[in-house]
Amino acid sequence: MDELFDLDAVGQAEAVRAGDVSPRELAEAAIARIEAHDGEINAVVHRRFERALAEADRLTGDAPFLGVPTLLKDLGWSMAGEPYRAGSRVLDGVEVARDGYAPAKLRAAGFVVLGRTNTPEFGTAITTEPRTFGPTRNPHDVRYSPGGSSGGSAAAVASGMVPVAAGSDGGGSIRIPASLCGLVGLKPSRGRVSYGPAVGEAWAGFSTPGMLCRTVRDSAATLDVIAGAMPGDPYGAPVWPRSLAQEVGADPGRLRIGFLTEHPGRPGETDPDLTAAVFGAARLLESLGHGVESGGPEALTEKDFALHFGTVVAAHLAADLEDFGRWRGRPVDLDELEERNRILGATGRGLSAVDYVASRDWIDGFRRRMATWWESFDLLLTPSLGAAPFPIGWLASDDVSMARGRMNQAVAFSSPVNATGQPAISLPLHRTSGGMPVGVQLVAAAGREDLLIRVASQIEAAAPFEHTAIRHATSR
């Protein structure tokens, strides 16, 4: 079973089809791993093991991921009859009435859902340390954060509990934990994966569902099964000419790639390990025949971005709090929230409709100003995260201003891509001297996940990714 769990999701599905293992045996092995390792990692906050085993026993047919175990982030990935906490005590006792489209597609593809993973309260932080469930720890070093807000899912995959897990990305929440946990994290284009049927969009379209994976082929194949606009969606992404799985190993051609080692709007703040990661990736891409040069979009220098991005998030959180009050049958008091969300919620409740529309209009202009750079370039290469791997507690300071400054620094490369709706992928190409993973981000033009998969698979073939956390979890 340990050998099977060294396989990625595509490999495990192939083992089921070959008759080497049954869906129930895979589920039981994943459950055993969760029970063995999660006490230290604290990635899984809701376990549905008996239901999952019964579902595994009923599986038949030729679904692409028949019997492969997975976990869902406890934010956005709703399943009928299951709890939904979003990292917060204000949703104690709340159960979901109906399946979301993306979870339903995962299950239709044959995945067996074993439970739900930890997330910061309402997904508004880039570390997973909610007061309700406690911190999730990084499998590479339990003193460190796995990132957030999909930190529970990333830690579960990096520790070998499951081969892939579901997350979402509203400001870097797939790419950041992928970077910190040594995984592949693909943020899809806006509209690529539906948030329906309960909502049309999350955070004005900044947020999108996606998957945390160990391999590029898993990133491609899992997005294939959850992608696609659904009836009533407010928008959709351009249709690819063929499946993403077919792009794995395809020749990307010679590309023009710009790279940044420092965020142009925050010069002098980049850690040396992040700089080394980008330079190393740039040299690798150049050795693969691509044209690589320093530079990036001029729009990234605009100082007002954080203000308008924050305004949109605060307004949506305030609206979410109203929904949560209706769900549980009594209004949400700001004093029930963690300090970060008390401030965001109060800010959101104090905004006018004019304030909100003005910020959305500014973001619309920013998106157009950013997009012009991809008329001349194919990809942008940056650090995935604007800060070095950080310990538990780094963002939990009583000094709210310090914590906010650290978070703004950390998301400087990731959140602009949420505002533009472009696809981006984090790849695990560097390690610190202490062995902690550092990811690099590649950003493509809107709709071009196919190009990202071609290049990412080319990089993976040339410099195979290390998965030391998985080997450590297997051996202990």
Side-chain angles (χ1 to χ4, degrees):
M1 274 302 178
D2 279 347
E3 290 180 0
L4 282 171
F5 266 79
D6 285 339
L7 299 174
D8 62 1
V10 170
Q12 289 188 19
E14 290 171 348
V16 171
R17 284 193 291 273
D20 296 333
V21 65
S22 72
R24 184 182 183 92
E25 288 170 333
L26 271 183
E28 288 175 336
I31 289 167
R33 283 194 167 208
I34 292 170
E35 291 177 333
H37 306 309
D38 197 46
E40 183 178 29
I41 303 300
N42 191 36
V44 185
V45 295
H46 172 64
R47 302 178 180 192
R48 57 185 308 275
F49 294 164
E50 292 305 317
R51 291 185 184 182
L53 289 172
E55 290 164 4
D57 287 339
R58 293 195 295 269
L59 285 174
T60 59
D62 58 355
F65 289 100
L66 191 73
V68 177
T70 192
L71 294 159
L72 305 182
K73 181 180 181 179
D74 195 20
L75 179 68
W77 288 81
S78 56
M79 282 180 64
E82 300 292 336
Y84 188 90
R85 300 290 295 281
S88 179
R89 64 185 182 184
V90 306
L91 293 175
D92 284 353
V94 170
E95 285 192 358
V96 175
R98 56 183 173 175
D99 285 346
Y101 287 138
K105 287 183 175 183
L106 273 184
R107 297 171 81 189
F111 279 104
V112 177
V113 177
L114 301 180
R116 304 182 70 78
T117 60
N118 206 6
T119 183
E121 186 179 61
F122 309 137
T124 57
I126 55 123
T127 186
T128 302
E129 303 175 47
R131 181 175 57 193
T132 300
F133 295 112
T136 296
R137 298 183 178 275
N138 194 314
H140 293 269
D141 186 331
V142 295
R143 297 170 298 177
Y144 280 75
S145 171
S149 62
S150 306
S153 289
V157 175
S159 60
M161 297 178 197
V162 290
V164 296
S168 57
D169 193 317
S173 290
I174 287 173
R175 290 159 290 157
I176 288 170
S179 175
L180 292 171
C181 291
L183 302 176
V184 178
L186 173 60
K187 182 195 86 68
S189 297
R190 180 171 301 162
R192 180 69 69 197
V193 184
S194 177
Y195 260 125
V199 297
E201 62 181 11
W203 288 7
F206 295 172
S207 182
T208 180
M211 303 295 290
L212 279 301
C213 305
R214 300 202 306 257
T215 63
V216 173
R217 71 174 186 173
D218 271 4
S219 286
T222 55
L223 185 52
D224 277 337
V225 301
I226 63 174
M230 301 299 289
D233 281 352
Y235 35 68
V239 177
W240 304 308
R242 58 183 181 175
S243 73
L244 280 190
Q246 292 175 286
E247 303 295 351
V248 176
D251 183 3
R254 187 178 191 276
L255 304 177
R256 188 181 183 193
I257 302 171
F259 72 92
L260 296 172
T261 56
E262 288 193 335
H263 191 281
R266 306 175 71 90
E269 295 186 5
T270 305
D271 183 90
D273 269 308
L274 309 187
T275 301
V278 172
F279 276 130
R283 288 192 296 269
L284 176 59
L285 286 162
E286 194 167 47
S287 74
L288 293 171
H290 301 296
V292 182
E293 56 192 275
S294 178
E298 181 67 23
L300 287 176
T301 65
E302 297 179 20
K303 302 292 187 183
D304 288 339
F305 172 79
L307 168 66
H308 293 292
F309 189 94
T311 295
V312 171
V313 172
H316 277 268
L317 177 60
D320 288 342
L321 295 177
E322 297 302 308
D323 284 339
F324 298 155
R326 287 190 290 272
W327 292 4
R328 71 179 195 173
R330 66 184 190 283
V332 174
D333 191 293
L334 292 179
D335 287 340
E336 298 178 75
L337 309 181
E338 296 177 19
E339 180 66 18
R340 173 187 69 259
N341 287 319
R342 278 198 291 272
I343 295 170
L344 267 178
T347 300
R349 287 177 173 178
L351 293 169
S352 70
V354 172
D355 295 329
Y356 175 71
V357 171
S359 284
R360 288 201 64 163
D361 285 347
W362 190 94
I363 293 291
D364 285 344
F366 175 79
R367 182 169 60 250
R368 294 183 188 280
R369 294 188 294 275
M370 281 279 284
T372 58
W373 187 84
W374 276 265
E375 293 176 349
S376 302
F377 287 83
D378 298 295
L379 296 173
L380 174 66
L381 168 67
T382 74
S384 298
L385 174 66
F390 52 86
I392 298 290
W394 187 70
L395 286 171
S397 170
D398 291 335
D399 186 334
V400 175
S401 177
M402 177 187 292
R404 184 186 299 116
R406 285 176 172 178
M407 192 155 82
N408 286 342
Q409 173 193 348
V411 302
F413 294 102
S414 57
S415 60
V417 187
N418 294 88
T420 64
Q422 294 169 249
I425 193 167
S426 180
L427 301 175
L429 289 178
H430 185 74
R431 299 270 172 160
T432 69
S433 59
M436 295 301 293
V438 174
V440 298
Q441 173 180 245
L442 288 167
V443 185
R448 293 305 310 272
E449 291 96 331
D450 55 342
L451 183 59
L452 288 178
I453 292 297
R454 288 180 210 159
V455 175
S457 62
Q458 184 185 46
I459 289 171
E460 185 180 33
F465 308 144
E466 297 181 35
H467 295 297
T468 55
I470 294 167
R471 289 196 290 273
H472 176 59
T474 301
S475 64
R476 69 186 170 199

